[in-house]
Each structure stands twice: as structure tokens, then as C-alpha cells.
């Protein structure tokens, strides 16, 4: 064993489990079934997974089989054929492109960068309105789309309607978010009722 090779990992959605094939290679990039001491791999080889991924904005940590990947996760895998398929890797922070590293007897292998996409739309925030504000004064608000892990939903292309308890307010028309909005859009509003 000289190093591990990770199969290509496609874009992943925050909070969704995925698997990937990891293969043991010798110094010449051939698949190997021999450990660093030249003994054959067994069905219970101890490996450690670690990651550059961090917790999502809501503090949900990346996991492997429900164990925290940020602290490193050690488990046994079957390497008798020189490869194995990971299970239940879940990443949550859509603002980064992390890697995952496997280590066995000081030999490592790092995945390529993994693009993490936001999960489905969960909620919006509205910020920016001055408080207090003079009645009849136009102000700008920012509407931001988020997934359940508080990642900005940068790929949101749905519509929003701005409403107010002020029946006299001047409000923008419904807006369909575009890809270029990256989940954030500014609107002008005028509140008129004191």
C-alpha cells in the first residue's frame, strides 16, 4: 500500500447521504491487496476518515455513519479486494468545497474537492428596514432564501410575494428569483401607516 484513490465525487446536496469507491494503490497506481507490511488486507482493516468540511451555519456537523467527521472517524472496512465503498457520508455546509481524507498505517488518500449544494428551500429572512422609519419614506429590504441548515439557497429560482400589515404600504410586485440573484434580492418598500 502506497496511497488510496477516491472515485470522482459529483456535486452533493447538503444533508443527503452519499457513497464513493475508495481503492488501495501501490506506488505505481496499481490496485493492491497488500498492506504496508506486505501482508494481505483483511475484512476488518482500521481506517480513519477526516475532512476539511466544517459545520453548516446551523452547527450541523459533517458525518460518516452518524459519527462526527470533523473529529476524525475510525472504523473497520473490508479491503480484501483492494477497494471498498464508503457509506453514509453527509456534508452540510454549502459555502465550501471540502475534501475527505482516508488514513491507514500512515498511508493516505484525499478526495477531490466536493461541491456541496444547498438543500431544498426552508425559509426566508427579511432584513434592512430602518426602525424607526418615517411614514411615507421609501426604504430597501433584502430577502434571502435559506435551506434547513441555514445555507443561503444560492440556486433558488422560485417566486416571493412581499406583504405587509400596513394596508397603505407601497410594495414591490411578486418576484421570481433568477440564477444571478444567488438567493438574495433587494426590494424597495414604502410604509405609510403610523
Amino acid at each position: 500500500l502506497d496511497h488510496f484513490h477516491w472515485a470522482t465525487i459529483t456535486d452533493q446536496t447538503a444533508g443527503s447521504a452519499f457513497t464513493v469507491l475508495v481503492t488501495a494503490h501501490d506506488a505505481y497506481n496499481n490496485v493492491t491487496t497488500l498492506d504496508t507490511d506486505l501482508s494481505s488486507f483483511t475484512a476488518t482493516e482500521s481506517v480513519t476518515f477526516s475532512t476539511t468540511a466544517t459545520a453548516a451555519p446551523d452547527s450541523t456537523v459533517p458525518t460518516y455513519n452518524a459519527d462526527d467527521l470533523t473529529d476524525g472517524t475510525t472504523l473497520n472496512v473490508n479491503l480484501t479486494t483492494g477497494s471498498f465503498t464508503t457509506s453514509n457520508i453527509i456534508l452540510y455546509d454549502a459555502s465550501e468545497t471540502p475534501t475527505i481524507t482516508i488514513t491507514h498505517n500512515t498511508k493516505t488518500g484525499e478526495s477531490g474537492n466536493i461541491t456541496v449544494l444547498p438543500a431544498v428551500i426552508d425559509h426566508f429572512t427579511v432584513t434592512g428596514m430602518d426602525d424607526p422609519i418615517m411614514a411615507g419614506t421609501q426604504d430597501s429590504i433584502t430577502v434571502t432564501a435559506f435551506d434547513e441548515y441555514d445555507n443561503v439557497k444560492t440556486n433558488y429560482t422560485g417566486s416571493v410575494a412581499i406583504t405587509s400589515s400596513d394596508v397603505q404600504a407601497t410594495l414591490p410586485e411578486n418576484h421570481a428569483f433568477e440564477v444571478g440573484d444567488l438567493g438574495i434580492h433587494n426590494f424597495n418598500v414604502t410604509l405609510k401607516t403610523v
Side-chain angles (χ1 to χ4, degrees), residues 1-73:
L1 173 65
D2 179 70
H3 64 279
F4 289 96
H5 172 77
W6 291 75
T8 301
I9 302 172
T10 58
D11 294 354
Q12 297 299 314
T13 300
S16 295
F18 65 95
T19 63
V20 62
L21 181 69
V22 178
T23 307
H25 282 205
D26 65 16
Y28 305 102
N29 286 324
N30 299 303
V31 175
T32 185
T33 58
L34 301 177
D35 208 334
T36 54
D37 63 0
L38 300 183
S39 64
S40 294
F41 283 130
T42 69
T44 57
E45 295 293 339
S46 178
V47 297
T48 301
F49 290 91
S50 58
T51 185
T52 59
T54 59
D58 76 345
S59 301
T60 305
V61 296
T63 58
Y64 186 111
N65 287 339
D67 292 324
D68 183 347
L69 260 178
T70 61
D71 292 337
T73 297

Coordinates of all heavy atoms in Angstrom, one line a residue, residues 1-73:
L1 N 0.8 -1.2 0.0 CA 0.0 0.0 0.0 C 0.9 1.2 0.0 O 1.8 1.4 0.8 CB -0.9 0.0 1.2 CG -1.7 1.3 1.4 CD1 -2.7 1.5 0.3 CD2 -2.4 1.3 2.8
D2 N 0.6 2.1 -1.0 CA 1.3 3.4 -1.0 C 0.4 4.5 -0.8 O 0.7 5.5 -0.1 CB 2.0 3.5 -2.4 CG 2.7 4.9 -2.5 OD1 3.8 5.0 -1.9 OD2 2.2 5.8 -3.2
H3 N -0.9 4.4 -1.3 CA -1.9 5.5 -1.1 C -3.2 5.0 -1.5 O -3.4 3.9 -2.0 CB -1.5 6.7 -2.0 CG -1.5 6.5 -3.4 ND1 -0.5 5.9 -4.1 CD2 -2.5 6.7 -4.4 CE1 -0.8 5.8 -5.4 NE2 -2.0 6.2 -5.6
F4 N -4.2 5.8 -1.2 CA -5.6 5.5 -1.6 C -6.1 6.4 -2.7 O -5.7 7.6 -2.7 CB -6.6 5.6 -0.4 CG -6.4 4.6 0.7 CD1 -5.6 4.8 1.8 CD2 -7.0 3.3 0.5 CE1 -5.4 3.8 2.7 CE2 -6.8 2.3 1.5 CZ -6.0 2.6 2.6
H5 N -7.0 5.9 -3.5 CA -7.5 6.7 -4.6 C -9.1 6.8 -4.4 O -9.7 5.7 -4.2 CB -7.2 6.1 -6.0 CG -8.0 6.8 -7.1 ND1 -7.6 8.0 -7.6 CD2 -9.1 6.4 -7.8 CE1 -8.4 8.3 -8.6 NE2 -9.3 7.4 -8.7
W6 N -9.6 8.0 -4.5 CA -11.1 8.2 -4.4 C -11.7 8.3 -5.8 O -11.1 9.0 -6.6 CB -11.4 9.5 -3.6 CG -11.1 9.4 -2.2 CD1 -9.8 9.5 -1.6 CD2 -12.0 9.4 -1.1 NE1 -9.9 9.5 -0.3 CE2 -11.2 9.4 0.1 CE3 -13.4 9.3 -1.0 CZ2 -11.8 9.4 1.3 CZ3 -14.0 9.2 0.2 CH2 -13.2 9.3 1.4
A7 N -12.8 7.6 -6.0 CA -13.5 7.8 -7.3 C -14.0 9.2 -7.3 O -14.1 9.9 -6.2 CB -14.7 6.8 -7.4
T8 N -14.3 9.7 -8.5 CA -14.9 11.1 -8.6 C -16.2 11.2 -7.8 O -17.0 10.4 -7.9 CB -15.1 11.5 -10.1 OG1 -13.8 11.3 -10.7 CG2 -15.6 12.9 -10.2
I9 N -16.3 12.3 -7.0 CA -17.5 12.6 -6.3 C -18.2 13.7 -7.0 O -17.6 14.8 -7.1 CB -17.1 13.0 -4.8 CG1 -16.4 11.8 -4.1 CG2 -18.4 13.3 -4.0 CD1 -15.8 12.1 -2.7
T10 N -19.4 13.5 -7.4 CA -20.2 14.5 -8.1 C -20.7 15.5 -7.0 O -20.6 15.3 -5.8 CB -21.4 13.9 -8.8 OG1 -22.2 13.1 -7.9 CG2 -20.9 12.9 -9.9
D11 N -21.4 16.6 -7.5 CA -22.0 17.6 -6.6 C -22.9 16.9 -5.7 O -23.7 16.0 -6.1 CB -22.8 18.6 -7.4 CG -21.9 19.5 -8.3 OD1 -20.6 19.4 -8.2 OD2 -22.4 20.3 -9.1
Q12 N -22.9 17.3 -4.4 CA -23.7 16.7 -3.4 C -24.6 17.7 -2.8 O -24.2 18.9 -2.6 CB -22.8 16.1 -2.3 CG -21.9 14.9 -2.8 CD -22.8 13.8 -3.3 OE1 -23.7 13.3 -2.7 NE2 -22.3 13.3 -4.5
T13 N -25.8 17.3 -2.4 CA -26.8 18.2 -1.8 C -26.6 18.1 -0.2 O -26.5 17.1 0.3 CB -28.2 17.8 -2.1 OG1 -28.3 17.9 -3.6 CG2 -29.2 18.7 -1.5
A14 N -26.6 19.3 0.4 CA -26.4 19.4 1.8 C -27.5 18.5 2.5 O -28.6 18.5 2.2 CB -26.6 20.8 2.3
G15 N -27.0 17.6 3.5 CA -27.9 16.8 4.2 C -28.2 15.5 3.6 O -28.9 14.7 4.1
S16 N -27.7 15.2 2.3 CA -28.0 14.0 1.6 C -26.8 13.0 1.7 O -25.7 13.4 1.4 CB -28.4 14.2 0.2 OG -29.5 15.0 0.1
A17 N -27.1 11.8 2.1 CA -26.0 10.8 2.2 C -25.5 10.3 0.9 O -26.3 10.3 -0.1 CB -26.5 9.6 3.0
F18 N -24.2 10.1 0.7 CA -23.7 9.6 -0.5 C -22.6 8.5 -0.2 O -22.1 8.4 0.9 CB -23.1 10.7 -1.4 CG -21.9 11.4 -0.8 CD1 -20.6 11.1 -1.2 CD2 -22.1 12.5 0.0 CE1 -19.5 11.8 -0.7 CE2 -21.0 13.2 0.5 CZ -19.7 12.8 0.2
T19 N -22.3 7.7 -1.2 CA -21.2 6.7 -1.1 C -20.2 7.0 -2.2 O -20.5 7.7 -3.2 CB -21.8 5.3 -1.3 OG1 -22.3 5.2 -2.6 CG2 -22.9 5.0 -0.2
V20 N -19.0 6.4 -2.0 CA -18.0 6.6 -3.0 C -17.0 5.4 -2.9 O -16.8 4.9 -1.8 CB -17.2 7.9 -2.9 CG1 -16.5 8.0 -1.6 CG2 -16.3 8.2 -4.1
L21 N -16.5 5.0 -4.0 CA -15.5 3.9 -4.1 C -14.1 4.4 -3.7 O -13.6 5.4 -4.3 CB -15.5 3.2 -5.5 CG -14.5 2.0 -5.6 CD1 -15.0 0.8 -4.8 CD2 -14.4 1.7 -7.1
V22 N -13.4 3.7 -2.8 CA -12.1 4.1 -2.4 C -11.2 2.8 -2.7 O -11.6 1.7 -2.3 CB -12.0 4.4 -0.9 CG1 -10.5 4.7 -0.5 CG2 -12.9 5.6 -0.6
T23 N -10.1 3.0 -3.4 CA -9.2 1.9 -3.8 C -7.8 2.1 -3.3 O -7.3 3.2 -3.3 CB -9.2 1.9 -5.3 OG1 -10.5 1.9 -5.9 CG2 -8.4 0.6 -5.8
A24 N -7.2 1.0 -2.8 CA -5.8 1.0 -2.3 C -4.9 0.8 -3.5 O -5.2 0.0 -4.4 CB -5.6 -0.2 -1.4
H25 N -3.9 1.7 -3.6 CA -3.0 1.6 -4.7 C -1.5 1.4 -4.2 O -1.2 1.9 -3.2 CB -3.0 2.9 -5.5 CG -4.2 3.0 -6.4 ND1 -4.2 3.8 -7.5 CD2 -5.4 2.4 -6.4 CE1 -5.4 3.7 -8.2 NE2 -6.1 2.8 -7.5
D26 N -0.7 0.8 -5.1 CA 0.7 0.7 -4.8 C 1.4 2.0 -5.4 O 0.7 2.9 -5.9 CB 1.3 -0.6 -5.4 CG 1.3 -0.7 -6.9 OD1 1.1 0.4 -7.6 OD2 1.5 -1.8 -7.4
A27 N 2.7 2.0 -5.3 CA 3.5 3.2 -5.7 C 3.3 3.5 -7.2 O 3.6 4.6 -7.7 CB 4.9 3.1 -5.4
Y28 N 2.9 2.5 -8.0 CA 2.7 2.6 -9.5 C 1.2 2.8 -9.9 O 0.9 2.6 -11.0 CB 3.4 1.4 -10.2 CG 4.8 1.3 -9.7 CD1 5.1 0.3 -8.8 CD2 5.8 2.1 -10.2 CE1 6.5 0.2 -8.4 CE2 7.1 2.0 -9.8 CZ 7.4 1.0 -8.9 OH 8.7 0.9 -8.5
N29 N 0.4 3.1 -8.9 CA -1.0 3.3 -9.1 C -1.8 2.1 -9.5 O -2.9 2.1 -10.1 CB -1.3 4.5 -10.1 CG -1.1 5.8 -9.5 OD1 -1.3 6.0 -8.3 ND2 -0.5 6.7 -10.3
N30 N -1.2 0.9 -9.2 CA -2.0 -0.4 -9.4 C -2.8 -0.6 -8.2 O -2.4 -0.3 -7.1 CB -1.0 -1.5 -9.6 CG -0.1 -1.3 -10.8 OD1 -0.6 -1.2 -11.9 ND2 1.2 -1.3 -10.6
V31 N -4.0 -1.2 -8.4 CA -4.8 -1.7 -7.3 C -4.0 -2.7 -6.5 O -3.4 -3.6 -7.1 CB -6.1 -2.2 -7.7 CG1 -6.9 -2.8 -6.5 CG2 -6.9 -1.1 -8.4
T32 N -4.0 -2.6 -5.2 CA -3.2 -3.6 -4.4 C -4.1 -4.2 -3.3 O -5.0 -3.5 -2.8 CB -1.9 -3.0 -3.8 OG1 -1.2 -4.0 -3.1 CG2 -2.3 -1.9 -2.8
T33 N -3.8 -5.4 -2.9 CA -4.5 -6.1 -1.8 C -3.5 -6.3 -0.7 O -3.7 -7.1 0.2 CB -5.1 -7.4 -2.3 OG1 -4.1 -8.3 -2.8 CG2 -6.2 -7.2 -3.3
L34 N -2.3 -5.7 -0.8 CA -1.3 -5.8 0.2 C -1.1 -4.6 1.1 O -1.0 -3.5 0.6 CB 0.1 -6.2 -0.5 CG 0.1 -7.4 -1.3 CD1 1.5 -7.6 -2.0 CD2 -0.3 -8.7 -0.5
D35 N -1.0 -4.8 2.4 CA -0.8 -3.7 3.3 C 0.6 -3.2 3.3 O 1.5 -3.7 2.5 CB -1.2 -4.2 4.7 CG -1.7 -3.1 5.6 OD1 -1.3 -1.9 5.4 OD2 -2.4 -3.4 6.6
T36 N 1.0 -2.2 4.1 CA 2.3 -1.6 4.1 C 3.4 -2.6 4.5 O 4.5 -2.5 4.1 CB 2.4 -0.4 5.0 OG1 1.9 -0.8 6.3 CG2 1.5 0.7 4.5
D37 N 3.0 -3.7 5.3 CA 4.0 -4.7 5.7 C 4.0 -5.9 4.7 O 4.5 -7.0 5.0 CB 3.7 -5.2 7.1 CG 2.4 -5.8 7.3 OD1 1.6 -5.9 6.3 OD2 2.1 -6.2 8.4
L38 N 3.3 -5.7 3.6 CA 3.1 -6.8 2.5 C 2.2 -7.9 2.9 O 2.2 -8.9 2.2 CB 4.5 -7.3 2.0 CG 5.4 -6.2 1.4 CD1 6.7 -6.8 0.9 CD2 4.7 -5.4 0.3
S39 N 1.6 -7.8 4.0 CA 0.6 -8.9 4.4 C -0.7 -8.5 3.6 O -1.0 -7.4 3.2 CB 0.3 -8.9 5.9 OG -0.3 -7.6 6.3
S40 N -1.6 -9.5 3.4 CA -2.8 -9.3 2.7 C -3.8 -8.5 3.5 O -3.9 -8.7 4.8 CB -3.4 -10.7 2.3 OG -2.6 -11.3 1.4
F41 N -4.5 -7.6 2.9 CA -5.6 -6.9 3.6 C -6.6 -7.9 4.1 O -6.9 -9.0 3.6 CB -6.3 -5.9 2.7 CG -5.5 -4.7 2.4 CD1 -5.4 -4.2 1.1 CD2 -5.0 -3.9 3.4 CE1 -4.7 -3.1 0.8 CE2 -4.3 -2.7 3.2 CZ -4.2 -2.3 1.9
T42 N -7.3 -7.5 5.2 CA -8.3 -8.3 5.8 C -9.7 -7.7 5.7 O -9.8 -6.6 5.1 CB -8.1 -8.5 7.3 OG1 -8.2 -7.3 8.0 CG2 -6.7 -9.1 7.6
A43 N -10.7 -8.3 6.2 CA -12.0 -7.8 6.1 C -12.3 -6.8 7.2 O -13.4 -6.2 7.3 CB -13.0 -8.9 6.2
T44 N -11.3 -6.6 8.1 CA -11.5 -5.6 9.2 C -10.3 -4.7 9.4 O -9.7 -4.6 10.4 CB -11.7 -6.4 10.5 OG1 -10.6 -7.3 10.8 CG2 -13.0 -7.2 10.5
E45 N -10.0 -4.0 8.3 CA -8.8 -3.1 8.3 C -9.3 -1.8 9.0 O -10.4 -1.2 8.6 CB -8.3 -2.8 6.9 CG -7.6 -4.0 6.3 CD -6.4 -4.5 7.0 OE1 -5.7 -3.7 7.7 OE2 -6.0 -5.6 6.8
S46 N -8.6 -1.2 9.9 CA -8.9 0.0 10.6 C -8.4 1.2 9.7 O -7.3 1.3 9.4 CB -8.2 0.0 12.0 OG -8.5 1.3 12.6
V47 N -9.4 2.1 9.4 CA -9.1 3.3 8.7 C -9.7 4.5 9.4 O -10.7 4.3 10.1 CB -9.6 3.2 7.2 CG1 -8.9 2.1 6.4 CG2 -11.1 3.1 7.2
T48 N -9.1 5.6 9.2 CA -9.6 6.9 9.8 C -10.0 7.8 8.6 O -9.2 8.0 7.7 CB -8.6 7.5 10.7 OG1 -8.2 6.6 11.7 CG2 -9.1 8.8 11.3
F49 N -11.2 8.4 8.8 CA -11.7 9.4 7.8 C -11.6 10.8 8.5 O -12.0 10.9 9.7 CB -13.1 9.1 7.4 CG -13.3 8.0 6.5 CD1 -13.5 6.7 7.0 CD2 -13.2 8.1 5.1 CE1 -13.7 5.6 6.2 CE2 -13.3 7.0 4.3 CZ -13.6 5.7 4.9
S50 N -11.1 11.8 7.8 CA -11.2 13.1 8.3 C -11.6 14.0 7.1 O -11.6 13.6 6.0 CB -9.8 13.5 8.9 OG -8.8 13.4 7.9
T51 N -11.9 15.3 7.4 CA -12.4 16.1 6.4 C -12.0 17.6 6.6 O -11.8 18.0 7.8 CB -13.9 16.0 6.2 OG1 -14.4 16.8 5.1 CG2 -14.6 16.5 7.5
T52 N -12.0 18.4 5.6 CA -11.8 19.8 5.7 C -13.2 20.5 5.8 O -13.2 21.7 6.0 CB -11.1 20.4 4.4 OG1 -11.8 20.1 3.3 CG2 -9.7 19.8 4.3
A53 N -14.2 19.7 5.7 CA -15.6 20.2 5.8 C -15.8 20.8 7.2 O -15.3 20.2 8.2 CB -16.6 19.2 5.5
T54 N -16.6 21.8 7.3 CA -17.0 22.3 8.6 C -18.5 22.2 8.9 O -19.2 21.8 8.0 CB -16.5 23.8 8.7 OG1 -17.2 24.6 7.7 CG2 -15.0 24.0 8.6
A55 N -18.9 22.6 10.0 CA -20.3 22.6 10.3 C -21.1 23.6 9.5 O -20.5 24.6 9.1 CB -20.5 22.9 11.8
A56 N -22.3 23.3 9.2 CA -23.2 24.2 8.5 C -23.5 25.4 9.4 O -23.2 25.4 10.6 CB -24.5 23.5 8.1
P57 N -24.0 26.5 8.8 CA -24.3 27.7 9.6 C -25.2 27.4 10.8 O -25.1 28.1 11.8 CB -25.0 28.6 8.6 CG -24.4 28.2 7.3 CD -24.3 26.7 7.4
D58 N -26.0 26.3 10.7 CA -26.9 26.0 11.9 C -26.1 25.1 12.9 O -26.7 24.5 13.8 CB -28.2 25.4 11.5 CG -28.1 23.9 11.0 OD1 -26.9 23.5 10.7 OD2 -29.1 23.3 10.9
S59 N -24.8 24.8 12.7 CA -24.0 24.0 13.5 C -24.1 22.5 13.3 O -23.5 21.7 14.1 CB -24.2 24.3 15.0 OG -23.9 25.7 15.2
T60 N -24.8 22.0 12.3 CA -24.8 20.6 12.0 C -23.5 20.2 11.4 O -23.0 20.8 10.4 CB -26.0 20.3 10.9 OG1 -27.2 20.8 11.5 CG2 -26.1 18.8 10.7
V61 N -22.9 19.2 12.0 CA -21.5 18.8 11.6 C -21.6 17.7 10.5 O -22.5 16.9 10.5 CB -20.7 18.3 12.8 CG1 -20.4 19.4 13.8 CG2 -21.3 17.1 13.4
P62 N -20.5 17.6 9.6 CA -20.5 16.5 8.6 C -20.3 15.2 9.3 O -19.6 15.1 10.4 CB -19.3 16.9 7.8 CG -18.5 17.8 8.6 CD -19.4 18.5 9.6
T63 N -20.9 14.1 8.7 CA -20.8 12.8 9.4 C -20.4 11.7 8.4 O -20.6 11.8 7.2 CB -22.2 12.5 10.0 OG1 -23.2 12.5 9.0 CG2 -22.5 13.5 11.1
Y64 N -20.0 10.6 9.0 CA -19.8 9.3 8.3 C -20.4 8.3 9.3 O -20.0 8.1 10.4 CB -18.3 9.0 8.2 CG -18.0 7.7 7.4 CD1 -17.5 7.8 6.1 CD2 -18.4 6.5 7.8 CE1 -17.2 6.7 5.4 CE2 -18.2 5.3 7.1 CZ -17.6 5.4 5.9 OH -17.4 4.3 5.1
N65 N -21.5 7.7 8.8 CA -22.3 6.8 9.6 C -22.7 7.4 10.9 O -22.6 6.8 12.0 CB -21.5 5.5 9.8 CG -21.5 4.6 8.6 OD1 -22.3 4.7 7.7 ND2 -20.5 3.7 8.6
A66 N -23.1 8.6 10.9 CA -23.6 9.4 12.0 C -22.5 9.8 13.0 O -22.7 10.5 14.0 CB -24.7 8.7 12.8
D67 N -21.2 9.5 12.7 CA -20.1 10.0 13.5 C -19.5 11.3 13.0 O -19.4 11.4 11.8 CB -19.0 8.9 13.6 CG -19.4 7.7 14.3 OD1 -20.1 7.8 15.3 OD2 -18.9 6.6 13.9
D68 N -19.2 12.2 13.9 CA -18.6 13.5 13.5 C -17.3 13.4 12.7 O -16.3 12.9 13.2 CB -18.4 14.3 14.8 CG -17.9 15.7 14.6 OD1 -17.5 16.1 13.4 OD2 -17.9 16.5 15.5
L69 N -17.4 13.8 11.4 CA -16.2 13.7 10.6 C -15.1 14.8 10.9 O -14.0 14.6 10.6 CB -16.6 13.9 9.1 CG -16.7 12.6 8.3 CD1 -17.1 13.0 6.9 CD2 -15.4 11.8 8.2
T70 N -15.5 15.9 11.6 CA -14.6 16.9 11.9 C -13.6 16.5 12.9 O -12.5 17.0 13.0 CB -15.3 18.2 12.3 OG1 -16.0 18.0 13.5 CG2 -16.2 18.8 11.2
D71 N -13.9 15.5 13.8 CA -13.0 15.0 14.8 C -12.2 13.8 14.3 O -11.4 13.2 15.0 CB -13.8 14.5 16.0 CG -14.4 15.7 16.8 OD1 -13.9 16.8 16.6 OD2 -15.4 15.5 17.5
G72 N -12.5 13.3 13.1 CA -11.9 12.1 12.6 C -12.8 10.9 13.0 O -13.2 10.8 14.2
T73 N -13.1 10.0 12.1 CA -13.9 8.8 12.4 C -13.1 7.6 12.0 O -12.6 7.4 10.9 CB -15.2 8.9 11.5 OG1 -15.9 10.0 11.9 CG2 -16.0 7.6 11.7

